[in-house]
Every structure is written in structure tokens, then in C-alpha cells.
Amino acid sequence: MKKLVAFSTLFLTLLLVQTACAELTRLEDNVYAYVGVKDASPAHSFAANAGIVIGRDGVLVIDTLISAKEGERFLADIRKVTDKPIKYVVNTHTHLDHAFGNCVFANLGATVISHEADQSMLAAKGAEILQSVGNYGLQPEDMQGTGIVLPTLAFSNQMSIDLGGETVRLIRSMPSHTAGSLVVHLPAAKLLFSGDILFTDFHPFLADGDFAGWSQTLDELLAMEIERIVPGHGPLSTKKDLQEMKEYLVLFDSKARELATTMQDGEAIAAKLLEILPKRSMADWMVAYNVKSRYLEKK
Ligand SMILES: [Zn+2]
């Protein structure tokens, strides 16, 4: 019996170690995705994804997760694959689950980059959000050590970063998931980090979205030469998922608008929408949140 217990403990330990390592997924020799799909709890950044690109001169980090703790978890996993200096952080947008870990990387001397609209959004709302994390299902201890770090480099349309042997393009053509949501494009690898412009198998957060600009942005991405996409939430994706995202937005907007003309209860509208919308394995709760934030008059 003792042997059996010891064996199961060893097995469990191995399993845990393996799970912890498996999160940094190698996409190219120098490009990794940090896919958070296993745990969509608030303290685990709502399963937000992140990534890294390693150049000759240093590392570019794409998104920093929800807190100092989460940023540290990410950094520890980065250090398992490279010891090069972390030169840049790109925030695909500045929602908390993608940008509140900035402090960890800024402390290492990294330059934090975003679109100027999302730089402004974080400057205007970041401190207040950090004060009221309970509204997002987070406990004060989840956020221990977390400070708001604003991007110090912001652009308005496009930007290229030369990492030494690897060029990274940042593109934002119009407002979408947020006013300044950008994509990170690696042309040579035909690879895209889309941030929350794409949610795959995960109900999207729509409260700050511009639906017309979002649809147009998705069309532009569909026209690009891309084979693999790391979405903001959910598993590694392709253009098929961009198309489905566009269809989801159109369906959600028309049905929610229609239901809100005769119904006032956000939960009841969400229940109806969940019958109509394509099934998603994560974040059913998001649908009611979206309905209340966009389609019902606040009382
Ligand atoms: Zn977001």
C-alpha cells in the first residue's frame, strides 16, 4: 500500500511538472505561444494567451497576463527557453488580463509598447480597475505586488521592430475589441498573435468593442498571408476561426438587439442567446455580461 501511495505521488508530481512545462508551446525555433487554455479562472488571467519572439539581440514579450504573480509565472517559463534580455513588451491591448503583468517586465528594463488609444485607456482606467478587482472575481492577494505600468512607446498605425534577424510588425488599422487593439505579425513565419480580436472556443468580451471596425479588421486579417494564429483566449487557431469570429459578432449583435426590444432581463436574454450562438467551451457567463453592458439601459 505504501509503495502504491509513493508511486501515485511520484506519478502525480511528474504529471504536474509536465503540465507546467507544456504551457510554453514552440511554434518556430524562436517563437513560442503561452497558451492559458487549461484554466479560465480570473486569477489565471481568464486563460489569456501570451507569447514570445526571440531575436539575436533579445526577447519581445507579447502580453503580460493579469497580475505580477501571473507575470512571474510567465517569466519563469520564459527563462526555461532563453536567458536573453527582455527588450520589449507589446500589449495587444490594455485590458487587465493582458497588461497588468507589465510591472514584472518593466522592472527588468523592457520597453512597453501599445497603440496610443490603449495607452490612454490604461492611463485613464488602470488604477481604478486595480482598486476594484473584486468586480472581476479577483481577490486582493491575487494582485499582490501588481502596479500599473503604462506603455512608454505608443504608435498610431503601424510599427516594425527589428529584434536582430527577426522583424516583428505591429498593426492596428481601426478600433475593434478595444480602440487600440493591435495584432503582432511575423511575416516570415506567416504567424499572427491576434490579441482579443480573436477569441476561439471562448465567448468574447464585447463591452469595449467597436463592431463595425472589428468586422473590418477581421476582413483585413483574412486577406493577409497567415497560416497560424495565437488568439487572445483559446487554442492555436487558423483563418477559419477569424471567419467564425466575424459571424459570431454579426449574429450576437442582431439577436441581442432584437431580444432587448421586448426583454429587460439580461440573464434571460443571455439564456436565449446561448441557444442560438455557436457553442463555446469557455466563458458562457460572458454572454450576460455583454448583454448588460451593451444592450440594456443602465438603471
Ligand atoms: Zn480584452
Side-chain angles (χ1 to χ4, degrees):
M1 185 65 191
K2 236 184 197 168
K3 241 185 195 168
L4 186 66
V5 172
F7 178 74
S8 343
T9 312
L10 177 70
F11 179 73
L12 197 68
T13 310
L14 285 174
L15 197 73
L16 284 171
V17 168
Q18 211 172 30
T19 309
C21 294
E23 277 192 297
L24 210 55
T25 310
R26 189 171 155 277
L27 303 177
E28 294 279 310
D29 283 346
N30 65 327
V31 183
Y32 293 79
Y34 201 49
V35 179
V37 75
K38 293 184 195 77
D39 179 356
S41 66
H44 196 267
S45 310
F46 299 103
N49 296 329
I52 58 168
V53 184
I54 307 166
R56 198 175 51 236
D57 306 333
V59 181
L60 177 141
V61 168
I62 302 160
D63 286 344
T64 58
L65 307 177
I66 206 164
S67 60
K69 269 187 197 169
E70 283 282 275
E72 293 287 358
R73 172 173 71 87
F74 183 22
L75 177 60
D77 282 333
I78 292 171
R79 286 300 176 226
K80 290 175 192 164
V81 300
T82 178
D83 55 6
K84 289 192 179 180
I86 295 177
K87 293 189 79 173
Y88 302 102
V89 163
V90 173
N91 289 144
T92 60
H93 62 299
T94 55
H95 278 154
L96 71 169
D97 49 337
H98 296 261
F100 278 21
N102 282 357
C103 47
V104 170
F105 300 93
N107 280 344
L108 300 175
T111 301
V112 183
I113 305 169
S114 77
H115 184 269
E116 56 195 16
D118 269 48
Q119 181 193 42
S120 303
M121 179 171 81
L122 188 60
K125 296 185 185 169
E128 190 190 320
I129 291 172
L130 189 56
Q131 288 301 309
S132 54
V133 289
N135 297 344
Y136 299 86
L138 292 154
Q139 304 299 320
E141 57 268 28
D142 296 328
M143 305 309 283
Q144 211 170 21
T146 306
I148 301 295
V149 170
L150 297 179
T152 50
L153 184 56
F155 68 97
S156 62
N157 187 11
Q158 293 210 17
M159 177 173 172
S160 281
I161 300 168
D162 181 2
L163 280 177
E166 181 73 51
T167 300
V168 179
R169 290 174 71 212
L170 312 182
I171 309 165
R172 177 275 192 187
S173 59
M174 60 196 78
S176 58
H177 172 69
T178 59
S181 286
L182 63 88
V183 295
V184 179
H185 183 212
L186 303 174
K190 297 180 182 168
L191 186 61
L192 192 78
F193 287 85
S194 68
D196 284 0
I197 291 170
L198 177 63
F199 285 74
T200 298
D201 199 25
F202 196 112
H203 287 287
F205 177 69
L206 304 176
D208 296 332
D210 176 321
F211 280 23
W214 200 337
S215 276
Q216 219 170 312
T217 301
L218 287 164
D219 280 338
E220 286 176 14
L221 298 181
L222 281 162
M224 285 167 65
E225 223 182 311
I226 299 164
E227 285 170 359
R228 289 168 296 171
I229 306 169
V230 180
H233 298 255
L236 191 65
S237 303
T238 63
K239 278 189 176 175
K240 176 177 128 310
D241 303 293
L242 291 175
Q243 186 62 42
E244 284 180 19
M245 181 74 207
K246 195 181 155 190
E247 287 159 13
Y248 182 108
L249 289 178
V250 172
L251 182 64
F252 192 104
D253 194 40
S254 68
K255 288 292 173 189
R257 213 175 278 282
E258 183 188 314
L259 291 166
T261 58
T262 55
M263 297 166 72
Q264 297 303 314
D265 179 0
E267 298 293 339
I269 295 175
K272 286 257 181 231
L273 282 172
L274 281 165
E275 290 170 12
I276 301 162
L277 288 167
K279 296 282 166 272
R280 296 287 184 256
S281 67
M282 285 172 283
D284 277 3
W285 55 269
M286 192 84 86
V287 175
Y289 187 92
N290 288 330
V291 168
K292 289 173 201 167
S293 69
R294 293 190 74 102
Y295 301 93
L296 297 179
E297 271 180 55
K298 301 221 163 66
K299 289 186 183 132

